[in-house]
Structure formats: C-alpha cells, structure tokens
Amino acid sequence: MRQRITKYRGVGLAMLVMTLSIVGTAYAQDPGKGATSYSPVDIKEDFASIMARMKDAKPAVEKKHMDLLNERYDLSDRPAKGATMSRGKAVQEGVRIKLLKDMTWEKLASISPEEIREKDLFPPGFFPLPFPNHPEGGMLFPKFQIDEINKQEGRDLTRFDLDFDLPDHVLPEFPAPIYLTTRPDLGDVSKGKLVTIMNFYELFNGILNPKQLEGLRLLVTPFPQQQFNQTEDRRSEKPSRGVACFDCHANGHTIAATHLVGDIRPQEFRHRLDTPTLRGVNIQRLFGSQRALKSIEDFTEFEQRAAYFDGDPVIATKKGVNILERGSQVRFMAEFQSILDFPPAPKLNIFGELDPAKANPAELKGEALFNGKARCSACHPAPYYTDNSMHNLRVERFYKPRMINGRMASADGPIKTFPLRGIKDSPPYLHDDRLLTLEDTVEFFNLVLQLKLTEQEKKDLVAFMRVL
C-alpha cells in the first residue's frame, strides 16, 4: 500500500482516496488482477524530488535484496579447476543454493512434491528470483559494462536508484569473444574489445557486407528507453541518449544484465529476465522466454517497441521510441545477429556429440546420463541442444504461492528451451537468474523432474555440459 501511495504522490487527496478505493475493489474481485495495466503518464513530481526520494530509499532497498541473496546463496568466489569460459574466465563450481536446516539434497529428492509443498521444504534459492527492486523494475547493468561504455562513449548507464546485485565472478566473461558463422577461420573477431558505436566500423569493415555492417551499427546505437531518456521520470542523473541492443547483449552474447518482462501484469507477476546470449540465433525458431516470437526480425522489432518501454506504447511515445523500418533496418539487424556463432567445442564431433577419442570418462558418462536417466535430451537434443519448443515444468507443485520482495512466486508457465551449446559461458541460469552454477541447475532439475541422480552422476552431468 505504501508503494501505491508513493506512486501517486502529488495527486490530490480526493483523487488518491478514490484511486486506492478502486485498487482495493479490484484486488477484492480478483487477487491476480491489478487495478490497471497502464503506468502514469503525466508525472506531477519534479525530477529533483524524484531523484532525492529514490536515492534516500536506495540503501534500505538494496539491503533487503542482499539479505535475500545471502539467505538463498553461497556467493563466494570458488572457481573450478581447469574449467574456463572461452576467453579464460574461471567457471564457478559447486552448489550455491542453501538448503533448509537439517536437510540434505538426497533427503529432499526422496520426498514427494506434495509433501515438500505442504511442509514448506522447497529450497529458498529455487523460488523465482525477484528483481533487486521488483516494484520498480527497469534495465540494470553490471558495473564493468557501465564503466566501459562510459569510457568509450561518455554515456552513463548508472541508475541513481539501484545497483546491480550479483557479484562479477558469477557472471559471464567480459568482454565476450565474437565468433561468426561466415568466418570461422578468424576466431574471435572482437579482438578482446567491447564492440560499441566507437569501434564497430574499424573492427568489422572488410569482414561484414554493407547490410550486416549497417545492422551492427543499429545494434550498437543508443536509443531512448524507459529508464534512460530525457524525461523527468528517467532513472539516470543526467538526461540520457538511451541504451543500445548490445548494452545488454554485449558483443552479441550476454553480461547477465537484467530487467522485468514487459508482457505480464500486474507488476508483482512480472518475471525477472535473464538476458540470453544471441549466439546461435540462426538455428532457433522461437524467441523470447515466453513470447514464442517466430523470427529474429519479430524479436528485434519487438524489443525496440515494447521491451524498451515495459510493453507500454503510451510511455514509449512520450520517451522517444525508435520505430525501426521493417524492410531494411530490422532486416539488416537480423542479418548480423544470424551469423553470431556458438563458441568452439573441440570435443564435439560434426553431429554435436562427444568424440570418444577426445573426451574423458566423466564427460562420456555425463553424455550417457544426459541422453538417458537424466532425460535432458528430451528437451535439449544434439547438435545444438534445444528442441526449439516450450515446456512447463510446473515447479509450483513444490510450493504454495507467496510474495517475495515484491515478486509473487506462483506458476511460471511454459518457458522456451534455450540451447545448451556454450552453456558454461552464460551463467547464471534459468530464465530469471535463480541458479548461479551448473551444479545448481543439475540439483534443480534432479528435484523438479524427480530423477534420483547420485552424487557422482550429478558431477558427470556437469562435466559433460562444460564441454558443450
């Protein structure tokens, strides 16, 4: 209720009372339905007041969220021996999800979903992960990305109300290498640099054709966005030129930048969004974790028109939406995205399966489990380890709905099957970042799918996924 009062600060008392009465009625009629699908357009509070208020609230907001993270996870830096991402950053190892007192993974796996639900035994880290300030939402970037963009472009992606929540060591490497399907002979064409509007031409001229080069230019060009624009309800201290597609999908990959999905209301039901890699979009047939968009062109256009502005066309118009021309601009952007390749996987053969002459025993056992007892290949078949479909895991079988720091944890619904090729380069995992390591992911699916894997089988599965 306090959040709604803050939201309508500056509105006349009579209007506020009437608004709250309507809100109360709406929730009384349907607990899952908000009072309105729309955000306020005509902001009555001046920018200086908004910024001062939100800066004052920031320490308490971030403490509440960090308390939740520390309750759920072991956030320590524990690199795996001999396992690195494509450019050498250490892969984090070990289960980071904290179990409830006196519980073990073996004991938990032996309990039925119904009993786990009734006795409230579901591990806190397996619940949906809220955004760092879920009632507020918006695009949020790790500091290393903010610093590099500011250094190259003088464009500041810092939010005055919120900082990124997860530690750098559990995030993808930065900057990520870029591999092209059209020029595999070149290896990493980024040359270890973050590709921006300042350097894309010198890096790619002579490698891309003119259409692809123009598509890349648009992908690194900043355009106004919900939190980064020129209006009084932005979340940047100074008026902003906006964000670029490659601010989240840095180098065509991911930095685990996060925001909330734009296509769900009310706010507490919106999912935190894990930014997926763009590597391998050429072999994918669905786009968006739940949207099931049918082409990369649809997805590109949708992101600019909707995801940038929380799916609100009224706000988008106010803040300066960039309407892309479908026949050229969208197509050129899609053409570049469609040649972003997966990282090399030298232990896989041309069928995307392990070469027995190159794999070690643990990896070979892991592959057998992946295709057998663990049932991973039912949704993630070789060679790219996706079935290009959507599946509903019905995780809500294991817990009763509840509010977690502004996020209503209930049924998530069907989620796209993302490719597992190059998966070690793309932590954290699941559609909302709730799983920090591959070991966490194996424990999650072992429980949710009731697989009854042994400890050694879990280790072998991780060993296999690290070489994909």
Side-chain angles (χ1 to χ4, degrees):
M1 189 65 74
R2 182 180 302 166
Q3 292 161 354
R4 294 190 177 274
I5 292 173
T6 301
K7 179 179 178 182
Y8 289 97
R9 181 176 288 183
V11 180
L13 180 61
M15 181 62 75
L16 178 61
V17 171
M18 181 178 71
T19 300
L20 293 176
S21 175
I22 293 171
V23 169
T25 302
Y27 275 100
Q29 293 172 347
D30 186 349
K33 181 182 178 185
T36 178
S37 294
Y38 296 91
S39 301
V41 179
D42 188 13
I43 306 300
K44 302 298 184 181
E45 187 179 6
D46 65 84
F47 176 73
S49 175
I50 292 173
M51 183 167 66
R53 172 170 55 80
M54 298 190 84
K55 279 187 172 182
D56 287 345
K58 179 179 176 180
V61 167
E62 293 193 328
K63 182 182 184 305
K64 182 179 181 182
H65 185 69
M66 287 308 301
D67 288 346
L68 177 71
L69 294 183
N70 286 316
E71 175 191 346
R72 288 183 169 206
Y73 307 115
D74 171 5
L75 295 172
S76 62
D77 186 0
R78 287 195 279 124
K81 292 181 179 178
T84 64
M85 300 180 199
S86 297
R87 285 191 61 239
K89 181 177 180 178
V91 170
Q92 291 290 307
E93 73 173 358
V95 177
R96 302 307 181 89
I97 301 290
K98 294 181 179 178
L99 286 168
L100 298 175
K101 186 178 180 181
D102 298 326
M103 182 58 68
T104 66
W105 290 111
E106 293 74 20
K107 182 179 179 181
L108 186 66
S110 69
I111 304 174
S112 70
E114 293 76 19
E115 186 176 353
I116 291 174
R117 177 185 172 99
E118 290 305 312
K119 294 184 177 180
D120 202 16
L121 299 175
F122 201 56
F126 283 175
F127 281 94
L129 180 63
F131 187 81
N133 184 2
H134 208 86
E136 175 65 19
M139 288 189 179
L140 190 61
F141 302 93
K143 190 174 185 302
F144 52 73
Q145 171 77 342
I146 293 172
D147 291 344
E148 184 62 23
I149 292 292
N150 210 359
K151 176 184 175 182
Q152 286 200 36
E153 301 183 32
R155 179 166 56 93
D156 194 352
L157 293 172
T158 302
R159 286 179 55 163
F160 58 70
D161 65 320
L162 206 55
D163 295 323
F164 194 78
D165 55 342
L166 299 175
D168 290 354
H169 55 264
V170 302
L171 305 183
E173 61 189 348
F174 179 83
I178 300 177
Y179 306 101
L180 301 180
T181 60
T182 51
R183 292 298 306 275
D185 56 302
L186 294 178
D188 175 16
V189 294
S190 76
K191 298 180 180 178
K193 298 178 181 178
L194 178 68
V195 178
T196 70
I197 195 70
M198 307 302 291
N199 62 19
F200 82 97
Y201 188 83
E202 64 181 83
L203 286 171
F204 288 90
N205 184 33
I207 298 175
L208 304 180
N209 71 30
K211 288 191 297 180
Q212 296 161 346
L213 200 59
E214 174 63 5
L216 177 55
R217 181 190 69 80
L218 289 164
L219 289 164
V220 295
T221 298
F223 296 108
Q225 183 268 339
Q226 183 82 342
Q227 284 72 41
F228 299 93
N229 57 76
Q230 295 85 38
T231 66
E232 72 282 340
D233 57 335
R234 66 182 184 270
R235 296 297 177 258
S236 60
E237 189 159 342
K238 296 180 180 179
S240 173
R241 282 173 281 160
V243 303
C245 298
F246 271 26
D247 286 345
C248 291
H249 299 283
N251 283 14
H253 186 42
T254 176
I255 50 170
T258 186
H259 61 107
L260 297 180
V261 296
D263 42 9
I264 298 175
R265 295 295 186 276
Q267 185 81 357
E268 57 262 30
F269 284 88
R270 294 174 66 185
H271 302 169
R272 175 181 175 139
L273 183 65
D274 172 42
T275 301
T277 179
L278 296 181
R279 293 170 173 175
V281 295
N282 61 308
I283 59 88
Q284 297 179 49
R285 300 295 174 262
L286 294 177
F287 300 90
S289 58
Q290 289 189 290
R291 303 181 191 104
L293 298 168
K294 298 303 188 290
S295 74
I296 191 61
E297 288 85 358
D298 291 340
F299 182 69
T300 299
E301 188 170 19
F302 175 89
E303 289 290 289
Q304 286 277 345
R305 288 176 179 259
Y308 268 40
F309 298 97
D310 291 342
D312 191 329
V314 179
I315 294 293
T317 299
K318 173 188 175 184
K319 295 188 175 185
V321 61
N322 172 50
I323 305 298
L324 294 166
E325 201 282 311
R326 177 84 179 202
S328 58
Q329 291 178 311
V330 171
R331 186 158 54 87
F332 295 167
M333 294 166 78
E335 283 194 29
F336 177 78
Q337 292 172 78
S338 294
I339 63 171
L340 292 167
D341 204 0
F342 294 111
K347 292 190 177 184
L348 300 185
N349 62 25
I350 60 174
F351 302 105
E353 301 165 345
L354 278 180
D355 182 341
K358 297 178 180 179
N360 64 40
E363 293 160 355
L364 289 168
K365 290 176 183 176
E367 183 180 44
L369 287 162
F370 190 94
N371 295 320
K373 180 180 178 180
R375 305 193 66 178
C376 308
S377 61
C379 301
H380 296 277
Y384 302 112
Y385 296 88
T386 175
D387 62 359
N388 273 305
S389 186
M390 303 179 75
H391 300 275
N392 188 348
L393 297 174
R394 294 189 287 126
V395 181
E396 68 274 9
R397 292 173 290 148
F398 292 86
Y399 63 87
K400 297 175 183 177
R402 67 198 64 192
M403 189 73 77
I404 304 173
N405 283 10
R407 164 73 157 99
M408 176 55 73
S410 60
D412 280 338
I415 303 294
K416 167 187 170 179
T417 306
F418 288 93
L420 296 187
R421 271 286 281 112
I423 191 63
K424 66 180 172 56
D425 284 14
S426 304
Y429 303 109
L430 225 57
H431 62 281
D432 61 0
D433 294 327
R434 74 181 75 170
L435 307 173
L436 301 185
T437 66
L438 287 173
E439 286 87 347
D440 285 328
T441 308
V442 168
E443 289 291 1
F444 177 84
F445 281 94
N446 185 53
L447 180 63
V448 170
L449 301 183
Q450 300 175 273
L451 301 172
K452 303 293 192 294
L453 299 172
T454 67
E455 282 304 301
Q456 187 57 52
E457 288 172 335
K458 295 172 188 175
K459 292 177 181 178
D460 292 340
L461 263 180
V462 170
F464 172 63
M465 286 192 286
R466 284 178 180 170
V467 302
L468 291 180

